[in-house]
Coordinates of all heavy atoms in Angstrom, one line a residue:
M15 N 186.0 18.8 163.1 CA 185.6 19.5 162.0 C 184.6 20.6 162.4 O 183.7 20.4 163.2 CB 184.9 18.5 161.0 CG 184.2 19.1 159.8 SD 183.3 18.0 158.8 CE 184.6 16.8 158.4
A16 N 184.8 21.8 161.9 CA 183.9 22.9 162.2 C 182.5 22.6 161.8 O 182.2 21.8 160.9 CB 184.4 24.2 161.5
A17 N 181.6 23.2 162.6 CA 180.1 23.1 162.3 C 179.5 24.4 162.4 O 179.9 25.3 163.1 CB 179.5 22.1 163.3
Y18 N 178.4 24.6 161.6 CA 177.8 25.9 161.5 C 176.3 25.7 161.7 O 175.6 24.8 161.1 CB 178.0 26.4 160.1 CG 179.5 26.5 159.8 CD1 180.2 25.5 159.2 CD2 180.2 27.7 160.1 CE1 181.5 25.5 159.0 CE2 181.6 27.8 159.9 CZ 182.2 26.7 159.3 OH 183.6 26.8 159.1
V19 N 175.7 26.6 162.5 CA 174.3 26.7 162.7 C 173.9 27.9 161.7 O 174.4 29.0 161.9 CB 173.9 27.0 164.1 CG1 172.4 27.3 164.2 CG2 174.2 25.8 165.0
I20 N 173.0 27.6 160.8 CA 172.6 28.6 159.8 C 171.1 28.9 160.1 O 170.3 27.9 160.1 CB 172.8 28.1 158.4 CG1 174.3 27.9 158.2 CG2 172.3 29.2 157.4 CD1 174.7 27.2 156.9
V21 N 170.8 30.1 160.3 CA 169.4 30.5 160.6 C 168.9 31.5 159.6 O 169.5 32.4 159.2 CB 169.4 31.3 162.0 CG1 168.0 31.6 162.4 CG2 170.1 30.4 163.1
N22 N 167.6 31.3 159.2 CA 166.9 32.2 158.3 C 165.7 32.6 159.1 O 164.8 31.8 159.4 CB 166.5 31.5 157.0 CG 165.7 32.5 156.1 OD1 165.9 33.7 156.2 ND2 164.9 31.9 155.2
D23 N 165.6 33.9 159.6 CA 164.6 34.4 160.4 C 163.7 35.4 159.6 O 164.1 36.1 158.8 CB 165.2 35.3 161.5 CG 165.5 34.6 162.8 OD1 165.0 33.5 163.0 OD2 166.4 35.1 163.5
D24 N 162.4 35.3 160.0 CA 161.5 36.4 159.6 C 160.9 36.9 160.9 O 160.0 36.3 161.5 CB 160.4 35.7 158.7 CG 159.3 36.7 158.3 OD1 159.6 38.0 158.3 OD2 158.1 36.3 158.1
I25 N 161.3 38.1 161.3 CA 160.9 38.7 162.6 C 159.5 39.2 162.4 O 159.2 40.0 161.5 CB 161.9 39.7 163.0 CG1 163.3 39.2 163.2 CG2 161.4 40.4 164.3 CD1 164.4 40.2 163.3
T26 N 158.6 38.7 163.3 CA 157.2 39.2 163.3 C 156.9 40.1 164.4 O 155.9 40.8 164.3 CB 156.3 37.9 163.4 OG1 156.6 37.2 164.6 CG2 156.5 37.0 162.2
D27 N 157.7 40.2 165.4 CA 157.5 41.1 166.6 C 158.8 41.7 167.0 O 159.5 41.0 167.8 CB 156.8 40.4 167.7 CG 156.5 41.2 168.9 OD1 157.0 42.3 169.0 OD2 155.8 40.7 169.8
E28 N 159.2 42.8 166.4 CA 160.5 43.3 166.7 C 160.7 43.7 168.2 O 161.8 43.5 168.7 CB 160.8 44.6 165.9 CG 162.1 45.2 166.0 CD 163.3 44.3 165.6 OE1 163.2 43.7 164.5 OE2 164.2 44.1 166.3
G29 N 159.7 44.1 168.9 CA 159.8 44.5 170.3 C 160.2 43.3 171.1 O 161.1 43.3 172.0
T30 N 159.5 42.1 170.9 CA 159.9 40.9 171.7 C 161.2 40.3 171.2 O 162.0 39.9 172.0 CB 158.7 39.9 171.5 OG1 157.5 40.5 172.0 CG2 159.0 38.6 172.3
F31 N 161.4 40.4 169.9 CA 162.7 39.8 169.4 C 163.9 40.5 169.9 O 165.0 39.9 170.0 CB 162.7 39.8 167.8 CG 163.8 39.0 167.2 CD1 163.6 37.6 167.1 CD2 164.9 39.6 166.8 CE1 164.6 36.9 166.5 CE2 166.0 38.8 166.3 CZ 165.8 37.5 166.1
S32 N 163.8 41.8 170.2 CA 164.9 42.6 170.7 C 165.5 42.0 172.0 O 166.7 42.0 172.2 CB 164.5 44.1 170.9 OG 163.6 44.2 171.9
E33 N 164.6 41.4 172.8 CA 165.1 40.8 174.0 C 166.0 39.5 173.7 O 167.0 39.3 174.2 CB 164.0 40.3 174.9 CG 164.4 39.6 176.2 CD 163.3 39.2 177.1 OE1 162.1 39.4 176.8 OE2 163.7 38.5 178.1
F34 N 165.5 38.7 172.7 CA 166.3 37.6 172.3 C 167.6 38.1 171.7 O 168.7 37.5 172.1 CB 165.5 36.9 171.2 CG 166.3 35.8 170.5 CD1 166.4 34.5 171.1 CD2 166.9 36.0 169.3 CE1 167.1 33.5 170.5 CE2 167.6 35.0 168.7 CZ 167.7 33.7 169.3
R35 N 167.6 39.1 170.9 CA 168.8 39.6 170.2 C 169.8 40.1 171.3 O 171.0 39.8 171.1 CB 168.4 40.7 169.3 CG 169.6 41.3 168.5 CD 169.2 42.5 167.6 NE 168.5 42.0 166.5 CZ 167.3 42.5 166.1 NH1 166.7 43.4 166.8 NH2 166.7 42.0 165.0
E36 N 169.3 40.8 172.3 CA 170.2 41.3 173.3 C 170.9 40.2 174.2 O 172.0 40.4 174.6 CB 169.5 42.2 174.3 CG 169.0 43.5 173.6 CD 168.1 44.3 174.5 OE1 168.0 44.0 175.7 OE2 167.5 45.3 174.0
R37 N 170.2 39.1 174.3 CA 170.7 38.1 175.3 C 171.4 36.8 174.6 O 172.2 36.1 175.3 CB 169.6 37.6 176.1 CG 169.0 38.7 177.0 CD 167.8 38.3 177.8 NE 168.0 37.1 178.6 CZ 167.0 36.3 179.0 NH1 165.7 36.7 178.8 NH2 167.2 35.2 179.7
V38 N 171.1 36.6 173.3 CA 171.5 35.3 172.7 C 173.0 35.3 172.5 O 173.6 34.2 172.6 CB 170.8 35.0 171.4 CG1 171.1 35.9 170.3 CG2 170.9 33.5 171.1
G39 N 173.7 36.4 172.2 CA 175.1 36.4 172.0 C 175.9 35.8 173.1 O 176.9 35.1 172.9
A40 N 175.5 36.1 174.3 CA 176.3 35.6 175.5 C 176.2 34.1 175.5 O 177.2 33.4 175.9 CB 175.7 36.2 176.8
T41 N 175.0 33.5 175.1 CA 174.9 32.0 175.2 C 175.7 31.4 174.1 O 176.3 30.3 174.2 CB 173.4 31.6 175.0 OG1 172.9 31.8 173.7 CG2 172.6 32.2 176.1
V42 N 175.8 32.1 172.9 CA 176.7 31.6 171.8 C 178.1 31.5 172.3 O 178.8 30.5 172.2 CB 176.5 32.4 170.5 CG1 177.6 32.1 169.5 CG2 175.1 32.3 170.0
E43 N 178.6 32.6 172.8 CA 180.0 32.7 173.3 C 180.3 31.7 174.4 O 181.4 31.1 174.4 CB 180.3 34.1 173.7 CG 180.3 35.1 172.6 CD 180.5 36.6 173.0 OE1 181.0 36.8 174.2 OE2 180.2 37.5 172.2
A44 N 179.4 31.6 175.3 CA 179.6 30.7 176.4 C 179.7 29.2 176.0 O 180.3 28.4 176.7 CB 178.4 30.8 177.4
N45 N 179.2 28.9 174.8 CA 179.3 27.6 174.2 C 180.4 27.5 173.1 O 180.3 26.5 172.3 CB 177.9 27.1 173.7 CG 177.0 26.8 174.9 OD1 177.1 25.7 175.4 ND2 176.3 27.7 175.4
G46 N 181.2 28.4 173.0 CA 182.3 28.4 172.1 C 182.0 28.8 170.7 O 182.8 28.6 169.8
G47 N 180.9 29.4 170.4 CA 180.5 29.8 169.1 C 180.9 31.2 168.8 O 181.2 32.0 169.7
R48 N 180.9 31.5 167.5 CA 181.2 32.9 167.1 C 180.4 33.2 165.8 O 180.2 32.3 165.0 CB 182.6 33.1 166.9 CG 183.2 32.5 165.6 CD 184.7 32.8 165.5 NE 185.3 32.3 164.3 CZ 185.6 33.0 163.2 NH1 185.4 34.3 163.2 NH2 186.0 32.4 162.1
Y49 N 179.8 34.4 165.8 CA 179.0 34.8 164.7 C 179.9 35.1 163.5 O 180.9 35.8 163.6 CB 178.2 36.1 165.0 CG 177.1 35.8 166.0 CD1 177.2 36.1 167.3 CD2 175.9 35.4 165.5 CE1 176.1 35.9 168.2 CE2 174.8 35.1 166.3 CZ 174.9 35.4 167.7 OH 173.9 35.1 168.5
L50 N 179.5 34.6 162.3 CA 180.1 34.9 161.1 C 179.2 35.9 160.3 O 179.8 36.7 159.5 CB 180.4 33.7 160.3 CG 181.3 32.6 160.9 CD1 181.5 31.4 160.0 CD2 182.7 33.2 161.3
V51 N 177.9 35.7 160.4 CA 177.0 36.5 159.7 C 175.8 36.8 160.6 O 175.3 35.9 161.3 CB 176.4 35.8 158.4 CG1 175.3 36.6 157.7 CG2 177.5 35.4 157.5
R52 N 175.4 38.1 160.6 CA 174.2 38.5 161.3 C 173.6 39.7 160.5 O 174.0 40.8 160.7 CB 174.4 39.0 162.7 CG 174.7 38.0 163.7 CD 175.1 38.6 165.1 NE 173.9 38.6 165.9 CZ 173.9 38.9 167.2 NH1 175.1 39.2 167.8 NH2 172.9 38.9 167.9
S53 N 172.8 39.4 159.5 CA 172.4 40.5 158.6 C 171.1 40.2 157.9 O 170.7 39.0 157.7 CB 173.5 40.6 157.5 OG 173.1 41.5 156.5
G54 N 170.4 41.2 157.6 CA 169.2 41.1 156.8 C 169.4 41.5 155.4 O 168.5 41.5 154.6
N55 N 170.7 41.7 155.0 CA 171.0 42.1 153.6 C 171.5 40.9 152.8 O 172.7 40.7 152.8 CB 172.1 43.2 153.7 CG 171.5 44.4 154.4 OD1 170.4 44.8 154.2 ND2 172.4 45.1 155.1
A56 N 170.6 40.1 152.3 CA 171.0 39.0 151.5 C 170.6 39.3 150.0 O 169.5 39.7 149.7 CB 170.3 37.7 151.9
E57 N 171.6 39.0 149.1 CA 171.3 39.3 147.7 C 171.2 37.9 147.0 O 172.1 37.1 147.0 CB 172.5 40.0 147.1 CG 172.4 40.3 145.6 CD 173.6 40.9 145.0 OE1 174.5 41.3 145.8 OE2 173.7 41.0 143.8
L58 N 170.0 37.8 146.3 CA 169.8 36.5 145.6 C 170.6 36.6 144.3 O 170.6 37.5 143.5 CB 168.3 36.4 145.2 CG 167.9 35.2 144.4 CD1 168.2 33.9 145.3 CD2 166.5 35.3 144.0
I59 N 171.4 35.5 144.1 CA 172.3 35.4 143.0 C 171.7 34.5 141.9 O 171.7 34.7 140.7 CB 173.7 34.9 143.4 CG1 174.3 35.8 144.4 CG2 174.6 34.7 142.1 CD1 174.6 37.2 143.9
E60 N 171.0 33.4 142.4 CA 170.5 32.4 141.5 C 169.4 31.7 142.2 O 169.4 31.5 143.4 CB 171.6 31.4 141.1 CG 171.3 30.5 140.0 CD 172.5 29.7 139.6 OE1 173.6 30.2 139.5 OE2 172.3 28.5 139.3
G61 N 168.4 31.2 141.5 CA 167.3 30.5 142.1 C 166.1 31.4 142.5 O 166.1 32.6 142.1
N62 N 165.3 30.9 143.4 CA 164.1 31.7 143.8 C 163.9 31.7 145.3 O 162.9 31.9 145.8 CB 162.9 31.2 143.1 CG 162.6 29.7 143.4 OD1 163.3 29.1 144.2 ND2 161.6 29.1 142.7
W63 N 165.0 31.6 146.1 CA 165.0 31.6 147.5 C 164.9 33.1 147.9 O 165.5 34.0 147.4 CB 166.3 31.0 148.0 CG 166.4 31.0 149.5 CD1 165.4 30.9 150.4 CD2 167.6 30.9 150.3 NE1 165.9 30.8 151.7 CE2 167.3 30.8 151.6 CE3 169.0 30.9 149.9 CZ2 168.3 30.7 152.6 CZ3 169.9 30.8 150.9 CH2 169.6 30.7 152.3
S64 N 164.0 33.4 148.9 CA 163.9 34.7 149.4 C 164.3 34.7 150.9 O 163.4 34.7 151.7 CB 162.6 35.4 149.3 OG 161.7 34.7 148.5
P65 N 165.5 34.7 151.2 CA 165.9 34.7 152.6 C 165.6 36.0 153.4 O 165.5 37.0 152.8 CB 167.4 34.5 152.6 CG 167.8 34.9 151.3 CD 166.7 34.8 150.4
G66 N 165.3 35.8 154.6 CA 165.1 37.0 155.5 C 166.4 37.4 156.2 O 167.4 37.5 155.5
R67 N 166.3 37.5 157.5 CA 167.5 37.8 158.2 C 168.3 36.5 158.4 O 167.8 35.5 158.8 CB 167.1 38.3 159.6 CG 168.2 38.6 160.6 CD 167.6 39.1 161.9 NE 168.6 39.2 162.9 CZ 169.0 38.2 163.7 NH1 168.4 37.1 163.7 NH2 169.9 38.4 164.6
M68 N 169.6 36.6 157.9 CA 170.5 35.4 158.0 C 171.5 35.5 159.1 O 172.0 36.6 159.4 CB 171.2 35.3 156.6 CG 170.4 35.1 155.4 SD 169.4 33.5 155.5 CE 170.7 32.3 155.6
V69 N 171.7 34.4 159.7 CA 172.7 34.3 160.8 C 173.5 33.0 160.6 O 172.9 31.9 160.3 CB 172.0 34.2 162.2 CG1 173.0 34.0 163.3 CG2 171.1 35.4 162.4
V70 N 174.8 33.1 160.7 CA 175.7 31.9 160.6 C 176.6 32.0 161.8 O 177.2 33.0 162.1 CB 176.5 31.9 159.3 CG1 177.4 30.7 159.3 CG2 175.6 32.0 158.0
I71 N 176.5 30.9 162.6 CA 177.3 30.8 163.8 C 178.3 29.6 163.6 O 177.8 28.5 163.3 CB 176.4 30.6 165.0 CG1 175.4 31.6 165.1 CG2 177.3 30.6 166.3 CD1 174.3 31.3 166.1
E72 N 179.6 29.8 163.9 CA 180.5 28.7 163.7 C 180.9 28.2 165.1 O 181.0 28.9 166.1 CB 181.8 29.3 163.1 CG 182.9 28.3 163.0 CD 184.2 28.9 162.4 OE1 184.6 29.9 162.9 OE2 184.8 28.2 161.5
F73 N 181.0 26.8 165.2 CA 181.4 26.1 166.4 C 182.5 25.2 166.0 O 182.7 24.9 164.8 CB 180.2 25.3 167.0 CG 179.1 26.1 167.5 CD1 178.1 26.6 166.7 CD2 179.1 26.5 168.9 CE1 177.0 27.3 167.3 CE2 178.1 27.2 169.4 CZ 177.0 27.7 168.6
D74 N 183.3 24.8 167.0 CA 184.4 23.9 166.7 C 184.0 22.6 166.1 O 184.7 22.0 165.2 CB 185.2 23.6 168.0 CG 186.0 24.7 168.5 OD1 186.2 25.7 167.8 OD2 186.3 24.7 169.7
D75 N 182.8 22.1 166.5 CA 182.3 20.8 165.9 C 180.8 20.8 166.1 O 180.2 21.6 166.8 CB 183.0 19.6 166.5 CG 183.0 19.6 168.0 OD1 182.0 20.0 168.6 OD2 184.0 19.1 168.6
A76 N 180.2 19.7 165.6 CA 178.7 19.6 165.7 C 178.3 19.3 167.1 O 177.2 19.8 167.5 CB 178.2 18.4 164.8
S77 N 179.1 18.7 167.9 CA 178.8 18.4 169.3 C 178.7 19.7 170.1 O 177.8 19.9 170.9 CB 179.9 17.5 169.9 OG 179.6 17.3 171.3
A78 N 179.6 20.7 169.8 CA 179.6 22.0 170.5 C 178.3 22.8 170.0 O 177.7 23.4 170.9 CB 180.8 22.8 170.2
A79 N 178.0 22.7 168.8 CA 176.8 23.4 168.3 C 175.5 22.8 168.9 O 174.6 23.5 169.4 CB 176.7 23.2 166.7
R80 N 175.5 21.5 169.0 CA 174.3 20.8 169.7 C 174.3 21.2 171.2 O 173.2 21.4 171.7 CB 174.3 19.3 169.5 CG 174.0 18.9 168.1 CD 173.8 17.4 168.0 NE 173.7 17.0 166.6 CZ 174.8 16.6 165.8 NH1 176.0 16.6 166.3 NH2 174.6 16.3 164.6
G81 N 175.4 21.3 171.8 CA 175.5 21.7 173.2 C 174.9 23.1 173.4 O 174.1 23.3 174.3
W82 N 175.1 24.0 172.5 CA 174.5 25.3 172.5 C 173.0 25.2 172.3 O 172.2 25.7 173.1 CB 175.1 26.3 171.5 CG 174.4 27.6 171.4 CD1 174.2 28.5 172.4 CD2 173.6 28.0 170.3 NE1 173.4 29.6 171.9 CE2 173.1 29.3 170.7 CE3 173.4 27.5 169.0 CZ2 172.3 30.0 169.8 CZ3 172.6 28.3 168.2 CH2 172.0 29.5 168.6
L83 N 172.6 24.5 171.2 CA 171.2 24.4 170.9 C 170.4 23.8 172.0 O 169.2 24.1 172.2 CB 171.0 23.6 169.6 CG 171.5 24.3 168.3 CD1 171.6 23.3 167.2 CD2 170.5 25.4 167.9
N84 N 171.0 22.9 172.8 CA 170.3 22.2 173.8 C 170.6 22.7 175.2 O 170.1 22.2 176.2 CB 170.6 20.7 173.8 CG 170.1 20.1 172.5 OD1 169.0 20.3 172.1 ND2 171.0 19.3 171.9
S85 N 171.3 23.8 175.3 CA 171.7 24.4 176.6 C 170.4 25.0 177.3 O 169.6 25.5 176.6 CB 172.8 25.5 176.5 OG 172.3 26.6 175.8
P86 N 170.4 25.0 178.6 CA 169.2 25.6 179.3 C 169.1 27.1 179.0 O 168.0 27.6 178.8 CB 169.5 25.4 180.8 CG 170.5 24.3 180.8 CD 171.3 24.3 179.5
E87 N 170.2 27.8 178.8 CA 170.2 29.2 178.5 C 169.6 29.5 177.2 O 168.7 30.4 177.0 CB 171.6 29.8 178.6 CG 172.3 29.7 179.9 CD 172.9 28.3 180.2 OE1 173.0 27.5 179.2 OE2 173.2 28.0 181.3
Y88 N 170.0 28.7 176.2 CA 169.4 28.9 174.8 C 168.0 28.5 174.8 O 167.1 29.1 174.1 CB 170.2 28.3 173.7 CG 169.6 28.5 172.4 CD1 169.6 29.8 171.8 CD2 168.9 27.5 171.7 CE1 169.0 30.0 170.6 CE2 168.3 27.7 170.5 CZ 168.3 29.0 169.9 OH 167.7 29.2 168.7
T89 N 167.7 27.4 175.4 CA 166.3 26.8 175.4 C 165.3 27.9 175.9 O 164.2 28.1 175.4 CB 166.2 25.6 176.3 OG1 167.1 24.6 175.7 CG2 164.8 25.0 176.3
E90 N 165.7 28.6 177.0 CA 164.8 29.7 177.5 C 164.7 30.8 176.4 O 163.5 31.3 176.2 CB 165.5 30.3 178.7 CG 164.8 31.5 179.3 CD 165.5 32.2 180.4 OE1 166.5 31.7 180.9 OE2 165.2 33.4 180.7
L91 N 165.7 31.2 175.8 CA 165.7 32.2 174.8 C 164.9 31.8 173.5 O 164.3 32.6 172.8 CB 167.1 32.7 174.4 CG 167.8 33.5 175.5 CD1 169.2 33.8 175.1 CD2 167.0 34.7 176.0
K92 N 165.0 30.5 173.2 CA 164.4 30.0 172.0 C 162.9 30.2 172.1 O 162.2 30.5 171.1 CB 164.7 28.5 171.9 CG 164.1 27.8 170.6 CD 164.7 26.5 170.4 CE 163.8 25.4 171.1 NZ 164.3 24.1 170.7
R93 N 162.3 30.1 173.3 CA 160.9 30.4 173.4 C 160.5 31.8 173.0 O 159.5 32.1 172.4 CB 160.4 30.1 174.9 CG 160.4 28.6 175.2 CD 159.8 28.4 176.6 NE 160.3 27.2 177.1 CZ 161.3 27.0 178.0 NH1 161.8 28.1 178.6 NH2 161.7 25.9 178.4
I94 N 161.4 32.8 173.4 CA 161.2 34.2 173.0 C 161.3 34.3 171.5 O 160.5 35.0 170.8 CB 162.2 35.1 173.7 CG1 162.0 35.0 175.2 CG2 162.2 36.5 173.2 CD1 163.2 35.7 176.0
R95 N 162.3 33.7 170.9 CA 162.4 33.7 169.4 C 161.2 33.1 168.7 O 160.7 33.7 167.8 CB 163.7 33.0 169.0 CG 163.9 33.0 167.4 CD 165.0 32.2 167.0 NE 165.1 30.8 167.4 CZ 164.4 29.8 167.0 NH1 163.4 30.0 166.1 NH2 164.6 28.6 167.5
Q96 N 160.7 32.0 169.2 CA 159.6 31.4 168.6 C 158.3 32.2 168.7 O 157.5 32.1 167.8 CB 159.3 30.0 169.2 CG 160.4 29.0 168.8 CD 160.3 27.7 169.6 OE1 159.8 27.6 170.7 NE2 160.8 26.7 168.9
R97 N 158.2 33.1 169.7 CA 157.0 34.0 169.8 C 157.2 35.2 168.9 O 156.2 35.8 168.6 CB 156.9 34.4 171.3 CG 156.3 33.4 172.2 CD 155.9 34.0 173.5 NE 156.7 35.0 174.1 CZ 157.7 34.9 175.0 NH1 157.9 33.7 175.5 NH2 158.4 35.9 175.5
S98 N 158.4 35.5 168.5 CA 158.6 36.8 167.8 C 159.2 36.6 166.4 O 159.4 37.7 165.7 CB 159.5 37.7 168.7 OG 160.8 37.0 168.8
A99 N 159.4 35.4 166.0 CA 160.0 35.2 164.6 C 159.6 33.8 164.1 O 159.4 32.9 164.9 CB 161.5 35.4 164.6
N100 N 159.5 33.7 162.8 CA 159.4 32.4 162.1 C 160.9 32.1 161.7 O 161.5 33.0 161.0 CB 158.5 32.5 161.0 CG 157.1 32.8 161.4 OD1 156.6 32.3 162.4 ND2 156.5 33.7 160.7
A101 N 161.4 31.0 162.0 CA 162.8 30.7 161.7 C 163.0 29.3 161.2 O 162.2 28.4 161.6 CB 163.6 30.9 163.0
S102 N 163.9 29.1 160.4 CA 164.4 27.8 160.0 C 165.9 27.7 160.4 O 166.6 28.7 160.2 CB 164.3 27.6 158.5 OG 163.0 27.7 158.1
L103 N 166.3 26.6 161.0 CA 167.7 26.5 161.4 C 168.2 25.1 160.9 O 167.4 24.2 160.8 CB 167.8 26.4 163.0 CG 167.7 27.6 163.8 CD1 166.2 28.1 163.9 CD2 168.3 27.5 165.1
I104 N 169.4 25.2 160.4 CA 170.1 23.9 160.0 C 171.5 23.9 160.7 O 172.0 24.9 161.1 CB 170.2 23.8 158.5 CG1 171.1 24.8 157.9 CG2 168.9 23.7 157.8 CD1 171.5 24.6 156.4
L105 N 172.0 22.6 160.9 CA 173.3 22.4 161.4 C 174.0 21.7 160.3 O 173.6 20.7 159.8 CB 173.2 21.6 162.7 CG 174.6 21.1 163.2 CD1 175.5 22.2 163.6 CD2 174.3 20.2 164.4
V106 N 175.2 22.2 159.9 CA 176.0 21.6 158.8 C 177.4 21.6 159.2 O 177.9 22.6 159.8 CB 175.7 22.4 157.5 CG1 176.2 23.8 157.6 CG2 176.4 21.7 156.3
E107 N 178.1 20.5 158.9 CA 179.5 20.4 159.1 C 180.3 21.0 158.0 O 179.8 20.9 156.8 CB 179.9 19.0 159.4 CG 179.4 18.5 160.7 CD 179.8 17.1 161.0 OE1 179.7 16.2 160.2 OE2 180.3 16.9 162.2
G108 N 181.4 21.6 158.3 CA 182.2 22.3 157.2 C 183.6 21.8 157.2 O 183.9 20.7 157.7
V109 N 184.5 22.6 156.8 CA 185.9 22.3 156.7 C 186.7 23.0 157.7 O 186.3 23.9 158.3 CB 186.5 22.6 155.3 CG1 185.9 21.8 154.2 CG2 186.3 24.1 155.0

C-alpha cells in the first residue's frame, strides 16, 4: 500500500534551507520516493488551517518511507532543515 510523507514547513532561514532543498531530492529518489507536491501555494478551502510550504512525497509503502526518514543521508540533512525551518511531518498510508 502506498505511503505518503506530508510536510508543512515554515522556512525561517532561506539561505541555510537552500542547502537542504538542493540535496534532499537525491535522498528521496535513492529511497524510492517521488515528489507529488512541493509548493508554497496552498489555498484554504475550509476550516482555519494556515499551511506554509507543503510537500507530499509518495513511497511504495510505509516501510520505504521510514527507510528514507531514518537513512543516514536524510538524517544529516534533517539537522539542516531543523536549523532553518519549523516543520511538521506526518506519515500516512494511502491507496
Side-chain angles (χ1 to χ4, degrees):
M15 174 181 304
Y18 304 88
V19 174
I20 301 172
V21 182
N22 181 25
D23 271 338
D24 175 26
I25 300 169
T26 57
D27 178 350
E28 184 62 49
T30 301
F31 192 82
S32 66
E33 179 182 357
F34 173 82
R35 182 181 287 126
E36 289 171 15
R37 296 174 53 199
V38 71
T41 70
V42 168
E43 290 176 18
N45 285 275
R48 70 181 185 104
Y49 286 99
L50 300 179
V51 175
R52 286 177 98 171
S53 176
N55 299 322
E57 177 184 352
L58 180 64
I59 302 298
E60 193 172 321
N62 58 7
W63 183 24
S64 348
R67 177 179 171 271
M68 297 297 301
V69 177
V70 179
I71 308 167
E72 180 182 45
F73 291 89
D74 287 342
D75 54 36
S77 178
R80 286 187 191 95
W82 171 66
L83 289 164
N84 295 314
S85 71
E87 298 81 13
Y88 179 70
T89 299
E90 174 190 345
L91 293 177
K92 183 167 90 170
R93 290 186 204 101
I94 296 169
R95 180 187 48 78
Q96 290 172 333
R97 286 195 318 266
S98 60
N100 298 316
S102 298
L103 285 78
I104 63 170
L105 172 60
V106 61
E107 291 183 308
V109 293

